[in-house]
Amino acid sequence: MSYKSLLTVLTATETAAPPLAQIAALAEHFGAHADALCLGVDRTQTGYYYAGANALVLQETLARARDEAEKVQAEADATLKQAGAAFGTDNGVAQIADIGRHVAQAARFSDLVVLGQPYGEGKRAEAEPIVESALFEGRAPVLVVPDDTAPLTQPKTVLAAWNESIEAMTAIRRAMPFLQSADLVRIAVIDPPQHGPERSDPGGMLAQMLSRHGVTCEIDVLSKTLPRVSDVLNRHAADTAAELIVMGAYGHSRFREAILGGATRNMLEQAAVPVLMAH
């Protein structure tokens, strides 16, 4: 298994560098095709303007969004040309309330979506719904890259969060190219249940499955000594020098869509290394 179709979604030149560097490195490493969807975001809510102003406001904001999309595309073209891998870029304008539809359509046909960290200084309002749409509507694995990390291609140590859930198993399966090339995968089990099929051997069945794929595993059973699961995982990643965290993405229903659940949001806020998530 390998990643052959990679996607990133960019909406601003100020935040484009980390995901562009990451997708370029992965495209070169895996011999993959990298796609960059460059969107200018129309943030207007024209119903709030007085009569007669709507057309003028809309025209100005659309022009600004198109200009922004073209600038982001130019940066993507320049970065991906240097990588030496096959790539394609496209630009367009999307209203902020409708951006998820465009992201989900592109993500659905991608092996891996590479995005910047959606929270922090300088992040725009659309960063969070882009991650949500790729995960929940596009059903794609998403690699979220912190701003200050070097591009990752072959992590030596990977931390895989395991809680016996479907989401966690999906993320682990989607991360297989990284797991197979790692020197060590640490299966982290936090406060394993006292009842259930894995009560006597937490993480054992997962380790067996991965070992049959040539993955070297160790199982770390951890206590929840910090208020949040994400805190425990981040601390353990730092203690073990893990370069990648793999975990399931969880959400809450929002009519027909989903929004990031607390554990998922907390991880994306605090992670100091790339995080691969899937739902």
Side-chain angles (χ1 to χ4, degrees):
M1 178 183 173
S2 182
Y3 300 121
K4 292 301 180 183
S5 294
L6 306 174
L7 170 71
T8 188
V9 181
L10 310 169
T11 61
T13 55
E14 296 83 3
T15 56
L20 274 176
Q22 179 63 74
I23 196 173
L26 288 176
E28 186 175 13
H29 178 74
F30 288 110
H33 189 283
D35 287 307
L37 177 59
C38 307
L39 296 176
V41 182
D42 172 18
R43 298 177 177 82
T44 57
Q45 299 184 59
T46 54
Y48 293 161
Y49 296 100
Y50 60 85
N54 286 7
L56 294 175
V57 171
L58 186 60
Q59 183 178 4
E60 181 181 347
T61 55
L62 286 176
R64 186 183 302 118
R66 289 193 194 97
D67 183 60
E68 194 168 55
E70 290 172 359
K71 288 180 179 178
V72 176
Q73 185 180 26
E75 182 171 345
D77 284 333
T79 301
L80 295 175
K81 281 179 182 177
Q82 294 179 352
F87 75 93
T89 64
D90 194 11
N91 75 67
V93 173
Q95 289 188 323
I96 191 166
D98 190 44
I99 197 168
R101 179 171 60 88
H102 301 280
V103 174
Q105 176 66 18
R108 191 171 293 124
F109 300 99
S110 302
D111 296 326
L112 182 68
V113 180
V114 179
L115 298 173
Q117 207 164 15
Y119 307 110
E121 186 178 353
K123 304 301 180 180
R124 299 191 176 188
E126 66 270 10
E128 184 182 45
I130 286 173
V131 174
E132 292 172 357
S133 299
L135 282 170
F136 300 124
E137 296 176 68
R139 298 288 174 172
V142 174
L143 181 66
V144 178
V145 185
D147 293 340
D148 54 354
T149 57
L152 181 76
T153 56
Q154 194 169 337
K156 294 182 179 180
T157 302
V158 178
L159 182 64
W162 178 240
N163 62 357
E164 303 182 26
S165 68
I166 293 173
E167 291 85 354
M169 179 59 81
T170 300
I172 288 167
R173 284 189 170 127
R174 296 295 188 93
M176 197 65 75
F178 289 122
L179 305 185
Q180 290 177 317
S181 64
D183 293 341
L184 178 64
V185 174
R186 309 189 76 96
I187 300 172
V189 185
I190 301 174
D191 285 349
Q194 297 180 355
H195 305 283
E198 296 189 28
R199 63 187 181 277
S200 61
D201 185 19
M205 295 175 70
L206 175 61
Q208 180 185 73
M209 185 198 84
L210 292 177
S211 68
R212 291 172 178 169
H213 286 275
V215 178
T216 302
C217 304
E218 287 186 6
I219 300 172
D220 298 333
V221 179
L222 309 173
S223 296
K224 190 183 175 186
T225 55
L226 295 171
R228 300 182 297 193
V229 168
S230 58
D231 296 332
V232 177
L233 291 173
N234 279 318
R235 184 179 66 179
H236 195 57
D239 291 344
T240 59
E243 299 170 86
L244 174 67
I245 297 173
V246 176
M247 65 178 288
Y250 306 92
H252 300 299
S253 176
R254 183 179 63 188
F255 299 103
R256 293 178 59 191
E257 301 176 4
I259 59 174
L260 297 175
T264 306
R265 176 191 291 267
N266 293 337
M267 174 58 74
L268 294 183
E269 288 176 344
Q270 303 296 329
V273 298
V275 181
L276 191 150
M277 291 183 165
H279 181 68

